[in-house]
Amino acid sequence: MSIRKRTGRIRFTLIILICTIWNLNETLAQQVFQPENRNRLTKVVKPIIPGFNPDPSICRAGDDFYIITSTNEYFPGLPIYHSRDLATWRMIGHVMSDPNYLDLDSVPGSKGLYAPTIRYHEGIFYVTCTLTGSLPGKPSGNFITTARDPRGPWSAPVWLDAPGIDPSLFFDDNGKVYYQGNYTPENKQWARHRKIFLQEIDLKDAKLIGPRVDILDAADYYQKGTIDGGSEFGADYLEAPHIYKKDGYYYLTTSHGGTFQQHALSFWRSRHLFGPYESNPANPILTHRGLSPAFRVTSTGHGDLVMDTEGQWHMTFLARRPLDSNTHILGRETFLTPVEWKDGWPQLPEHQSQDAGGPHFGQSAIPRDDTSVRKLSFKGSRLSPEWTFIRTPRENWWEVNSRKDAVSIRLRPDILSDISQPSWLGLRQDRFHAQFSTSMKFKPEREGEEAGLTVFRDKDHYFKFTLIGTKEGDMLQLSKRAIGQTMDTVISRVPSPGKEVILRITSSGRWYSFEYGAADDQLKYLGKDVDGAFLGSPAAGKFTGAMIGIYATSNGLKSGNTAVFSDVKY
Ligand code: 6LW
């Protein structure tokens, strides 16, 4: 190639390079702080409570902070997380852990317990929440429960004559207490039209009293280009109302746009509790709807404020960490941000709105949340609070064996793809790079008896990694169920490696690997880097997130067999 030609090519490449850098600068420049982007937390990447923990509500009792989140069809309901530094949070129990108080029988996936509110007042903790999707004649709707100690016992829920969802409480300094929630107006102007109402509540009798007053109507903002950001969905689903009092003003916050990409959070204020409420000119103060749906944190909204002992305010909120614009395996997680007050309005701290990084996670950029694996112990007679059931267990089909540091679960007819209560115990998948392993002792006594591990999103979306009795003998099998399938698809199977086997599941973003063997250092793959994006697809587990669990079933038949799981590490 002639020198002339080579210099020409080098000059050409240089020009391309300069243009690219120029463009890059441009895009980054665009992402550097712009006042109108003040409502973005583009620097926030880590949840304070990772994994399926949506609709967080927070309160303070002295130096102790407590957060509760919604749990839909899972039991126990409404986990309570405790912290003293707002950074490290530990699950200390649940608000709804008595099967007599929480009836989730036949509640469909993503129904059940919706967004709760926790408040602390004069030595008592109060929780309000909504139970949806109950069978006719069963308890459902809004309820209130109380406790002196957040670890429990919590009182039996008292069901309230209140419409809608997302109930909250406000303790006014005149000693009166007020209930606020959202509801669908009879004469709704569009399907997703909601209003916020306020009514006094008599806590002694747990009854709403006095007039029920509408204090906010989404119709005032529908397609008006204010809180909706010009999107037709922006004023949808006005929900998650909370009221606070500060400097003589009553502040009302709500979320709108729905809990996914259009999610947004706004504030209103009034000198009078029952309004009228004026809208914050900077609304919404938090939304990532203007960012790519593949941005590393999306769906920000559903917030609740708390003031710490130094008078600094903080807001917990939900958000999602997509793997790509259509894949949200971990579901809605709990985040926290400091909040500043300026000109009588809450706002996000400026430094949170400046962006130094690229728009989203490529596979390589998935954050290596804490990837350490710890041994989970089975001590005493009870399971530790993290272990979760699908719906309310109505019989003791599991048994903790402290001596063996193991748990045994009985095979029962119920299966994962039914709206029932299977012999399944799960933990929230709370990191993109997770590893769950166990030593399982199990031998099918006849065809159809099955036990092993699962990655479960809902009855239509799961992986099963199980030992199963088949016509061809006992098999170790990897299978999956995805939307539209009427039966599980077998991905791979091998003859059973024996009565006692180590099973291990490892995730790396959307890829899941399944290993088995006699010892940790002798494991073989039954499936390597199997695509699990279906677990995070829009169709999967609308309001929930992926759960990793141990499972046993007799697939519809009667059985007296059990499976024993020990040496569980996660
Ligand atoms: C929650 C409500 C919501 O009550 O979903 O989409 C419900 N928004 O705020 C369940 O998470």
PDB file of all heavy atoms in Angstrom, residues 392-422:
ATOM      1  N   THR A 392     -50.019 -19.133  52.590  1.00  0.00           N
ATOM      2  CA  THR A 392     -50.038 -19.457  54.026  1.00  0.00           C
ATOM      3  C   THR A 392     -49.947 -20.956  54.257  1.00  0.00           C
ATOM      4  O   THR A 392     -50.827 -21.699  53.795  1.00  0.00           O
ATOM      5  CB  THR A 392     -51.341 -18.923  54.649  1.00  0.00           C
ATOM      6  OG1 THR A 392     -51.509 -17.559  54.250  1.00  0.00           O
ATOM      7  CG2 THR A 392     -51.304 -19.027  56.165  1.00  0.00           C
ATOM      8  N   PRO A 393     -48.887 -21.437  54.944  1.00  0.00           N
ATOM      9  CA  PRO A 393     -48.808 -22.877  55.234  1.00  0.00           C
ATOM     10  C   PRO A 393     -49.920 -23.272  56.203  1.00  0.00           C
ATOM     11  O   PRO A 393     -50.140 -22.581  57.204  1.00  0.00           O
ATOM     12  CB  PRO A 393     -47.421 -23.039  55.867  1.00  0.00           C
ATOM     13  CG  PRO A 393     -47.054 -21.694  56.379  1.00  0.00           C
ATOM     14  CD  PRO A 393     -47.787 -20.695  55.545  1.00  0.00           C
ATOM     15  N   ARG A 394     -50.651 -24.321  55.873  1.00  0.00           N
ATOM     16  CA  ARG A 394     -51.775 -24.760  56.713  1.00  0.00           C
ATOM     17  C   ARG A 394     -51.447 -26.037  57.482  1.00  0.00           C
ATOM     18  O   ARG A 394     -52.274 -26.564  58.207  1.00  0.00           O
ATOM     19  CB  ARG A 394     -53.003 -25.001  55.828  1.00  0.00           C
ATOM     20  CG  ARG A 394     -53.546 -23.734  55.175  1.00  0.00           C
ATOM     21  CD  ARG A 394     -54.001 -22.743  56.212  1.00  0.00           C
ATOM     22  NE  ARG A 394     -54.530 -21.513  55.631  1.00  0.00           N
ATOM     23  CZ  ARG A 394     -54.673 -20.389  56.345  1.00  0.00           C
ATOM     24  NH1 ARG A 394     -54.283 -20.347  57.602  1.00  0.00           N
ATOM     25  NH2 ARG A 394     -55.162 -19.311  55.787  1.00  0.00           N
ATOM     26  N   GLU A 395     -50.239 -26.617  57.237  1.00  0.00           N
ATOM     27  CA  GLU A 395     -49.806 -27.788  58.022  1.00  0.00           C
ATOM     28  C   GLU A 395     -48.283 -27.731  58.145  1.00  0.00           C
ATOM     29  O   GLU A 395     -47.616 -27.084  57.332  1.00  0.00           O
ATOM     30  CB  GLU A 395     -50.233 -29.079  57.310  1.00  0.00           C
ATOM     31  CG  GLU A 395     -49.767 -29.114  55.850  1.00  0.00           C
ATOM     32  CD  GLU A 395     -50.209 -30.334  55.104  1.00  0.00           C
ATOM     33  OE1 GLU A 395     -49.874 -31.443  55.544  1.00  0.00           O
ATOM     34  OE2 GLU A 395     -50.872 -30.131  54.049  1.00  0.00           O
ATOM     35  N   ASN A 396     -47.738 -28.401  59.169  1.00  0.00           N
ATOM     36  CA  ASN A 396     -46.266 -28.369  59.367  1.00  0.00           C
ATOM     37  C   ASN A 396     -45.583 -29.423  58.506  1.00  0.00           C
ATOM     38  O   ASN A 396     -45.238 -30.495  58.967  1.00  0.00           O
ATOM     39  CB  ASN A 396     -45.948 -28.609  60.861  1.00  0.00           C
ATOM     40  CG  ASN A 396     -46.225 -27.342  61.645  1.00  0.00           C
ATOM     41  OD1 ASN A 396     -46.297 -26.260  61.044  1.00  0.00           O
ATOM     42  ND2 ASN A 396     -46.426 -27.481  62.942  1.00  0.00           N
ATOM     43  N   TRP A 397     -45.347 -29.113  57.238  1.00  0.00           N
ATOM     44  CA  TRP A 397     -44.734 -30.102  56.336  1.00  0.00           C
ATOM     45  C   TRP A 397     -43.204 -29.962  56.340  1.00  0.00           C
ATOM     46  O   TRP A 397     -42.500 -30.656  55.638  1.00  0.00           O
ATOM     47  CB  TRP A 397     -45.292 -29.945  54.915  1.00  0.00           C
ATOM     48  CG  TRP A 397     -45.372 -28.531  54.402  1.00  0.00           C
ATOM     49  CD1 TRP A 397     -46.521 -27.760  54.335  1.00  0.00           C
ATOM     50  CD2 TRP A 397     -44.309 -27.707  53.926  1.00  0.00           C
ATOM     51  NE1 TRP A 397     -46.222 -26.508  53.832  1.00  0.00           N
ATOM     52  CE2 TRP A 397     -44.876 -26.449  53.574  1.00  0.00           C
ATOM     53  CE3 TRP A 397     -42.941 -27.901  53.749  1.00  0.00           C
ATOM     54  CZ2 TRP A 397     -44.107 -25.397  53.073  1.00  0.00           C
ATOM     55  CZ3 TRP A 397     -42.174 -26.849  53.262  1.00  0.00           C
ATOM     56  CH2 TRP A 397     -42.758 -25.625  52.926  1.00  0.00           C
ATOM     57  N   TRP A 398     -42.662 -29.053  57.155  1.00  0.00           N
ATOM     58  CA  TRP A 398     -41.205 -28.903  57.251  1.00  0.00           C
ATOM     59  C   TRP A 398     -40.785 -29.132  58.712  1.00  0.00           C
ATOM     60  O   TRP A 398     -41.590 -28.987  59.637  1.00  0.00           O
ATOM     61  CB  TRP A 398     -40.792 -27.492  56.818  1.00  0.00           C
ATOM     62  CG  TRP A 398     -41.194 -26.420  57.777  1.00  0.00           C
ATOM     63  CD1 TRP A 398     -40.434 -25.852  58.747  1.00  0.00           C
ATOM     64  CD2 TRP A 398     -42.498 -25.845  57.921  1.00  0.00           C
ATOM     65  NE1 TRP A 398     -41.168 -24.938  59.470  1.00  0.00           N
ATOM     66  CE2 TRP A 398     -42.445 -24.905  58.980  1.00  0.00           C
ATOM     67  CE3 TRP A 398     -43.713 -26.005  57.242  1.00  0.00           C
ATOM     68  CZ2 TRP A 398     -43.542 -24.160  59.381  1.00  0.00           C
ATOM     69  CZ3 TRP A 398     -44.823 -25.267  57.650  1.00  0.00           C
ATOM     70  CH2 TRP A 398     -44.731 -24.359  58.700  1.00  0.00           C
ATOM     71  N   GLU A 399     -39.562 -29.542  58.890  1.00  0.00           N
ATOM     72  CA  GLU A 399     -39.067 -29.756  60.268  1.00  0.00           C
ATOM     73  C   GLU A 399     -37.594 -29.364  60.345  1.00  0.00           C
ATOM     74  O   GLU A 399     -36.783 -29.808  59.513  1.00  0.00           O
ATOM     75  CB  GLU A 399     -39.245 -31.215  60.683  1.00  0.00           C
ATOM     76  CG  GLU A 399     -38.991 -31.409  62.177  1.00  0.00           C
ATOM     77  CD  GLU A 399     -39.104 -32.884  62.575  1.00  0.00           C
ATOM     78  OE1 GLU A 399     -39.526 -33.678  61.675  1.00  0.00           O
ATOM     79  OE2 GLU A 399     -38.771 -33.213  63.710  1.00  0.00           O
ATOM     80  N   VAL A 400     -37.295 -28.486  61.294  1.00  0.00           N
ATOM     81  CA  VAL A 400     -35.902 -28.073  61.508  1.00  0.00           C
ATOM     82  C   VAL A 400     -35.232 -29.113  62.399  1.00  0.00           C
ATOM     83  O   VAL A 400     -35.801 -29.533  63.413  1.00  0.00           O
ATOM     84  CB  VAL A 400     -35.836 -26.679  62.173  1.00  0.00           C
ATOM     85  CG1 VAL A 400     -34.410 -26.343  62.588  1.00  0.00           C
ATOM     86  CG2 VAL A 400     -36.398 -25.626  61.218  1.00  0.00           C
ATOM     87  N   ASN A 401     -34.038 -29.567  61.973  1.00  0.00           N
ATOM     88  CA  ASN A 401     -33.308 -30.556  62.783  1.00  0.00           C
ATOM     89  C   ASN A 401     -31.990 -29.929  63.227  1.00  0.00           C
ATOM     90  O   ASN A 401     -30.997 -29.937  62.496  1.00  0.00           O
ATOM     91  CB  ASN A 401     -33.060 -31.811  61.938  1.00  0.00           C
ATOM     92  CG  ASN A 401     -32.289 -32.853  62.732  1.00  0.00           C
ATOM     93  OD1 ASN A 401     -31.488 -32.500  63.593  1.00  0.00           O
ATOM     94  ND2 ASN A 401     -32.550 -34.110  62.432  1.00  0.00           N
ATOM     95  N   SER A 402     -32.011 -29.342  64.445  1.00  0.00           N
ATOM     96  CA  SER A 402     -30.812 -28.600  64.900  1.00  0.00           C
ATOM     97  C   SER A 402     -29.591 -29.500  64.944  1.00  0.00           C
ATOM     98  O   SER A 402     -28.498 -29.123  64.536  1.00  0.00           O
ATOM     99  CB  SER A 402     -31.036 -28.093  66.327  1.00  0.00           C
ATOM    100  OG  SER A 402     -32.099 -27.250  66.344  1.00  0.00           O
ATOM    101  N   ARG A 403     -29.798 -30.740  65.446  1.00  0.00           N
ATOM    102  CA  ARG A 403     -28.632 -31.627  65.646  1.00  0.00           C
ATOM    103  C   ARG A 403     -27.919 -31.804  64.299  1.00  0.00           C
ATOM    104  O   ARG A 403     -26.709 -31.698  64.181  1.00  0.00           O
ATOM    105  CB  ARG A 403     -29.110 -32.972  66.193  1.00  0.00           C
ATOM    106  CG  ARG A 403     -28.040 -33.800  66.910  1.00  0.00           C
ATOM    107  CD  ARG A 403     -28.672 -35.036  67.575  1.00  0.00           C
ATOM    108  NE  ARG A 403     -29.631 -35.717  66.705  1.00  0.00           N
ATOM    109  CZ  ARG A 403     -29.249 -36.432  65.622  1.00  0.00           C
ATOM    110  NH1 ARG A 403     -27.952 -36.490  65.277  1.00  0.00           N
ATOM    111  NH2 ARG A 403     -30.149 -37.053  64.857  1.00  0.00           N
ATOM    112  N   LYS A 404     -28.723 -32.001  63.251  1.00  0.00           N
ATOM    113  CA  LYS A 404     -28.080 -32.208  61.937  1.00  0.00           C
ATOM    114  C   LYS A 404     -27.894 -30.864  61.217  1.00  0.00           C
ATOM    115  O   LYS A 404     -27.384 -30.816  60.087  1.00  0.00           O
ATOM    116  CB  LYS A 404     -28.967 -33.108  61.079  1.00  0.00           C
ATOM    117  CG  LYS A 404     -29.068 -34.543  61.590  1.00  0.00           C
ATOM    118  CD  LYS A 404     -29.707 -35.432  60.526  1.00  0.00           C
ATOM    119  CE  LYS A 404     -29.872 -36.873  61.025  1.00  0.00           C
ATOM    120  NZ  LYS A 404     -31.172 -37.436  60.546  1.00  0.00           N
ATOM    121  N   ASP A 405     -28.356 -29.754  61.859  1.00  0.00           N
ATOM    122  CA  ASP A 405     -28.280 -28.449  61.189  1.00  0.00           C
ATOM    123  C   ASP A 405     -28.893 -28.568  59.789  1.00  0.00           C
ATOM    124  O   ASP A 405     -28.294 -28.186  58.763  1.00  0.00           O
ATOM    125  CB  ASP A 405     -26.814 -27.981  61.078  1.00  0.00           C
ATOM    126  CG  ASP A 405     -26.735 -26.493  60.731  1.00  0.00           C
ATOM    127  OD1 ASP A 405     -27.812 -25.865  60.673  1.00  0.00           O
ATOM    128  OD2 ASP A 405     -25.615 -25.993  60.490  1.00  0.00           O
ATOM    129  N   ALA A 406     -30.085 -29.124  59.767  1.00  0.00           N
ATOM    130  CA  ALA A 406     -30.746 -29.400  58.475  1.00  0.00           C
ATOM    131  C   ALA A 406     -32.237 -29.124  58.583  1.00  0.00           C
ATOM    132  O   ALA A 406     -32.760 -28.892  59.676  1.00  0.00           O
ATOM    133  CB  ALA A 406     -30.531 -30.874  58.106  1.00  0.00           C
ATOM    134  N   VAL A 407     -32.898 -29.096  57.432  1.00  0.00           N
ATOM    135  CA  VAL A 407     -34.366 -28.980  57.412  1.00  0.00           C
ATOM    136  C   VAL A 407     -34.896 -30.081  56.503  1.00  0.00           C
ATOM    137  O   VAL A 407     -34.332 -30.343  55.437  1.00  0.00           O
ATOM    138  CB  VAL A 407     -34.835 -27.591  56.930  1.00  0.00           C
ATOM    139  CG1 VAL A 407     -34.373 -27.315  55.511  1.00  0.00           C
ATOM    140  CG2 VAL A 407     -36.348 -27.460  57.046  1.00  0.00           C
ATOM    141  N   SER A 408     -35.929 -30.753  56.977  1.00  0.00           N
ATOM    142  CA  SER A 408     -36.525 -31.779  56.106  1.00  0.00           C
ATOM    143  C   SER A 408     -37.906 -31.298  55.694  1.00  0.00           C
ATOM    144  O   SER A 408     -38.610 -30.649  56.478  1.00  0.00           O
ATOM    145  CB  SER A 408     -36.630 -33.109  56.844  1.00  0.00           C
ATOM    146  OG  SER A 408     -37.505 -32.962  57.937  1.00  0.00           O
ATOM    147  N   ILE A 409     -38.222 -31.537  54.440  1.00  0.00           N
ATOM    148  CA  ILE A 409     -39.558 -31.143  53.978  1.00  0.00           C
ATOM    149  C   ILE A 409     -40.270 -32.357  53.398  1.00  0.00           C
ATOM    150  O   ILE A 409     -39.668 -33.198  52.720  1.00  0.00           O
ATOM    151  CB  ILE A 409     -39.508 -29.956  53.000  1.00  0.00           C
ATOM    152  CG1 ILE A 409     -38.702 -30.204  51.759  1.00  0.00           C
ATOM    153  CG2 ILE A 409     -39.012 -28.722  53.669  1.00  0.00           C
ATOM    154  CD1 ILE A 409     -38.746 -28.978  50.821  1.00  0.00           C
ATOM    155  N   ARG A 410     -41.562 -32.434  53.701  1.00  0.00           N
ATOM    156  CA  ARG A 410     -42.364 -33.595  53.296  1.00  0.00           C
ATOM    157  C   ARG A 410     -42.868 -33.407  51.867  1.00  0.00           C
ATOM    158  O   ARG A 410     -43.209 -32.292  51.455  1.00  0.00           O
ATOM    159  CB  ARG A 410     -43.556 -33.707  54.279  1.00  0.00           C
ATOM    160  CG  ARG A 410     -44.237 -35.041  54.327  1.00  0.00           C
ATOM    161  CD  ARG A 410     -44.949 -35.332  55.661  1.00  0.00           C
ATOM    162  NE  ARG A 410     -45.614 -34.229  56.308  1.00  0.00           N
ATOM    163  CZ  ARG A 410     -46.835 -33.766  55.959  1.00  0.00           C
ATOM    164  NH1 ARG A 410     -47.466 -34.306  54.931  1.00  0.00           N
ATOM    165  NH2 ARG A 410     -47.387 -32.774  56.628  1.00  0.00           N
ATOM    166  N   LEU A 411     -42.889 -34.503  51.111  1.00  0.00           N
ATOM    167  CA  LEU A 411     -43.439 -34.442  49.752  1.00  0.00           C
ATOM    168  C   LEU A 411     -44.961 -34.389  49.842  1.00  0.00           C
ATOM    169  O   LEU A 411     -45.571 -35.194  50.540  1.00  0.00           O
ATOM    170  CB  LEU A 411     -43.003 -35.664  48.952  1.00  0.00           C
ATOM    171  CG  LEU A 411     -41.635 -35.565  48.273  1.00  0.00           C
ATOM    172  CD1 LEU A 411     -40.523 -35.497  49.302  1.00  0.00           C
ATOM    173  CD2 LEU A 411     -41.432 -36.702  47.302  1.00  0.00           C
ATOM    174  N   ARG A 412     -45.528 -33.410  49.162  1.00  0.00           N
ATOM    175  CA  ARG A 412     -46.990 -33.262  49.149  1.00  0.00           C
ATOM    176  C   ARG A 412     -47.430 -33.078  47.704  1.00  0.00           C
ATOM    177  O   ARG A 412     -46.615 -32.760  46.847  1.00  0.00           O
ATOM    178  CB  ARG A 412     -47.391 -32.060  50.007  1.00  0.00           C
ATOM    179  CG  ARG A 412     -47.097 -32.267  51.492  1.00  0.00           C
ATOM    180  CD  ARG A 412     -46.991 -30.990  52.274  1.00  0.00           C
ATOM    181  NE  ARG A 412     -48.138 -30.114  52.194  1.00  0.00           N
ATOM    182  CZ  ARG A 412     -48.106 -28.905  51.622  1.00  0.00           C
ATOM    183  NH1 ARG A 412     -46.980 -28.503  51.039  1.00  0.00           N
ATOM    184  NH2 ARG A 412     -49.167 -28.132  51.597  1.00  0.00           N
ATOM    185  N   PRO A 413     -48.718 -33.282  47.410  1.00  0.00           N
ATOM    186  CA  PRO A 413     -49.174 -33.216  45.998  1.00  0.00           C
ATOM    187  C   PRO A 413     -48.957 -31.846  45.330  1.00  0.00           C
ATOM    188  O   PRO A 413     -48.717 -31.748  44.138  1.00  0.00           O
ATOM    189  CB  PRO A 413     -50.667 -33.527  46.114  1.00  0.00           C
ATOM    190  CG  PRO A 413     -50.849 -34.228  47.414  1.00  0.00           C
ATOM    191  CD  PRO A 413     -49.783 -33.703  48.320  1.00  0.00           C
ATOM    192  N   ASP A 414     -48.973 -30.746  46.156  1.00  0.00           N
ATOM    193  CA  ASP A 414     -48.937 -29.397  45.571  1.00  0.00           C
ATOM    194  C   ASP A 414     -47.696 -29.178  44.695  1.00  0.00           C
ATOM    195  O   ASP A 414     -46.602 -29.609  45.055  1.00  0.00           O
ATOM    196  CB  ASP A 414     -48.925 -28.345  46.687  1.00  0.00           C
ATOM    197  CG  ASP A 414     -50.148 -28.503  47.598  1.00  0.00           C
ATOM    198  OD1 ASP A 414     -50.272 -29.587  48.193  1.00  0.00           O
ATOM    199  OD2 ASP A 414     -50.968 -27.575  47.684  1.00  0.00           O
ATOM    200  N   ILE A 415     -47.899 -28.482  43.559  1.00  0.00           N
ATOM    201  CA  ILE A 415     -46.782 -28.205  42.648  1.00  0.00           C
ATOM    202  C   ILE A 415     -46.629 -26.703  42.414  1.00  0.00           C
ATOM    203  O   ILE A 415     -47.582 -25.939  42.637  1.00  0.00           O
ATOM    204  CB  ILE A 415     -46.975 -28.930  41.289  1.00  0.00           C
ATOM    205  CG1 ILE A 415     -48.309 -28.540  40.659  1.00  0.00           C
ATOM    206  CG2 ILE A 415     -46.853 -30.424  41.455  1.00  0.00           C
ATOM    207  CD1 ILE A 415     -48.492 -29.130  39.256  1.00  0.00           C
ATOM    208  N   LEU A 416     -45.465 -26.299  41.913  1.00  0.00           N
ATOM    209  CA  LEU A 416     -45.155 -24.872  41.754  1.00  0.00           C
ATOM    210  C   LEU A 416     -46.110 -24.167  40.797  1.00  0.00           C
ATOM    211  O   LEU A 416     -46.401 -22.986  40.949  1.00  0.00           O
ATOM    212  CB  LEU A 416     -43.728 -24.707  41.228  1.00  0.00           C
ATOM    213  CG  LEU A 416     -42.576 -25.080  42.161  1.00  0.00           C
ATOM    214  CD1 LEU A 416     -41.246 -24.847  41.438  1.00  0.00           C
ATOM    215  CD2 LEU A 416     -42.631 -24.282  43.452  1.00  0.00           C
ATOM    216  N   SER A 417     -46.592 -24.883  39.783  1.00  0.00           N
ATOM    217  CA  SER A 417     -47.396 -24.221  38.738  1.00  0.00           C
ATOM    218  C   SER A 417     -48.875 -24.122  39.106  1.00  0.00           C
ATOM    219  O   SER A 417     -49.701 -23.725  38.301  1.00  0.00           O
ATOM    220  CB  SER A 417     -47.229 -24.972  37.418  1.00  0.00           C
ATOM    221  OG  SER A 417     -47.547 -26.329  37.626  1.00  0.00           O
ATOM    222  N   ASP A 418     -49.194 -24.520  40.337  1.00  0.00           N
ATOM    223  CA  ASP A 418     -50.575 -24.371  40.825  1.00  0.00           C
ATOM    224  C   ASP A 418     -50.681 -23.148  41.733  1.00  0.00           C
ATOM    225  O   ASP A 418     -49.682 -22.741  42.328  1.00  0.00           O
ATOM    226  CB  ASP A 418     -50.969 -25.587  41.693  1.00  0.00           C
ATOM    227  CG  ASP A 418     -51.392 -26.759  40.833  1.00  0.00           C
ATOM    228  OD1 ASP A 418     -51.543 -26.548  39.608  1.00  0.00           O
ATOM    229  OD2 ASP A 418     -51.512 -27.873  41.381  1.00  0.00           O
ATOM    230  N   ILE A 419     -51.881 -22.587  41.846  1.00  0.00           N
ATOM    231  CA  ILE A 419     -52.089 -21.539  42.870  1.00  0.00           C
ATOM    232  C   ILE A 419     -52.406 -22.290  44.155  1.00  0.00           C
ATOM    233  O   ILE A 419     -53.560 -22.453  44.552  1.00  0.00           O
ATOM    234  CB  ILE A 419     -53.228 -20.584  42.458  1.00  0.00           C
ATOM    235  CG1 ILE A 419     -52.844 -19.845  41.173  1.00  0.00           C
ATOM    236  CG2 ILE A 419     -53.515 -19.586  43.583  1.00  0.00           C
ATOM    237  CD1 ILE A 419     -53.811 -18.768  40.757  1.00  0.00           C
ATOM    238  N   SER A 420     -51.368 -22.819  44.775  1.00  0.00           N
ATOM    239  CA  SER A 420     -51.580 -23.624  45.998  1.00  0.00           C
ATOM    240  C   SER A 420     -50.443 -23.339  46.968  1.00  0.00           C
ATOM    241  O   SER A 420     -49.793 -22.310  46.877  1.00  0.00           O
ATOM    242  CB  SER A 420     -51.629 -25.101  45.607  1.00  0.00           C
ATOM    243  OG  SER A 420     -50.334 -25.509  45.211  1.00  0.00           O
ATOM    244  N   GLN A 421     -50.183 -24.252  47.875  1.00  0.00           N
ATOM    245  CA  GLN A 421     -49.171 -24.008  48.917  1.00  0.00           C
ATOM    246  C   GLN A 421     -48.160 -25.139  48.889  1.00  0.00           C
ATOM    247  O   GLN A 421     -48.226 -26.065  49.691  1.00  0.00           O
ATOM    248  CB  GLN A 421     -49.872 -23.915  50.281  1.00  0.00           C
ATOM    249  CG  GLN A 421     -49.203 -22.998  51.289  1.00  0.00           C
ATOM    250  CD  GLN A 421     -47.920 -23.577  51.843  1.00  0.00           C
ATOM    251  OE1 GLN A 421     -47.889 -24.699  52.355  1.00  0.00           O
ATOM    252  NE2 GLN A 421     -46.846 -22.833  51.708  1.00  0.00           N
ATOM    253  N   PRO A 422     -47.206 -25.088  47.925  1.00  0.00           N
ATOM    254  CA  PRO A 422     -46.284 -26.213  47.761  1.00  0.00           C
ATOM    255  C   PRO A 422     -45.266 -26.328  48.895  1.00  0.00           C
ATOM    256  O   PRO A 422     -45.043 -25.371  49.642  1.00  0.00           O
ATOM    257  CB  PRO A 422     -45.570 -25.874  46.436  1.00  0.00           C
ATOM    258  CG  PRO A 422     -45.678 -24.395  46.304  1.00  0.00           C
ATOM    259  CD  PRO A 422     -46.974 -24.018  46.959  1.00  0.00           C
TER     260      PRO A 422
END
